Amino acid sequence: AAGADGQRGLMMAAGRIEAVASEVAAREAGRAQARQRARELADWLRQRMLSHRARFVAAVNAAGAPHLDLIEITAVEPDDKSIRAFQFKIRRGRYEAVVVSKDRGEVMMVGPFKRGQDEGPCHPIHHQGGDPDRELLADHIETLLSALIEMSFTK
């Protein structure tokens, strides 16, 4: 009898899971293409950041300071705060910046800031209703990396 009660409990739980899944899926089904575009833009932004980082590394190497190759760029991943966005982080020591690509036509550049403290400043760049201005975004990415470098290499 105990086995039957356990099995019945699993079936009830599975029914709730399917009900919740159906509710969430119904709410989010129309967002799939926009979410995919947000992911593709996040990947593109990360590639630009990697390119800017490579320029920094080449410059410090040319200046005789290869030990300054300390900037980490994380992989693109689902955003910490929203299932409708993707993010990657740029880190150097205790300093960090975050780039978030949202499915509603916005890129949010956050930081740089000290990890463990409040995130900010936040700089939203809107591109609703069309393709984002990639030249503008590349410029903002470069500015964000420059600010992180200046802040994190002050000592």
Side-chain angles (χ1 to χ4, degrees), residues 2 22 24 27 30 44 47 51-52 57 65-66 77-78 86 88 90 95-96 106 108 113 128 146:
S22 292
V24 171
R27 185 175 61 230
W44 183 86
Q47 287 304 312
S51 175
H52 294 319
V57 170
E77 61 187 9
F86 292 90
F88 65 91
I90 307 96
Y95 295 91
E96 182 171 277
E106 179 181 78
M108 180 69 70
F113 55 90
Q128 294 129 326
S146 296

Side-chain angles (χ1 to χ4, degrees), residues 22-86:
S22 292
E23 181 183 321
V24 171
R27 185 175 61 230
E28 294 297 320
R31 305 296 314 169
Q33 286 183 337
R35 190 171 187 272
Q36 180 59 34
R37 285 191 303 273
R39 171 61 194 241
E40 290 166 1
L41 184 57
D43 289 336
W44 183 86
L45 289 162
R46 182 176 180 273
Q47 287 304 312
R48 296 296 73 71
M49 185 62 76
L50 289 169
S51 175
H52 294 319
R53 180 191 179 278
R55 290 173 41 218
F56 172 76
V57 170
V60 296
N61 281 330
H67 61 284
L68 296 180
D69 180 9
L70 300 169
I71 299 167
E72 172 192 359
I73 301 170
T74 68
V76 171
E77 61 187 9
D79 181 58
D80 289 342
K81 297 176 184 172
S82 173
I83 60 172
R84 297 177 177 173
F86 292 90

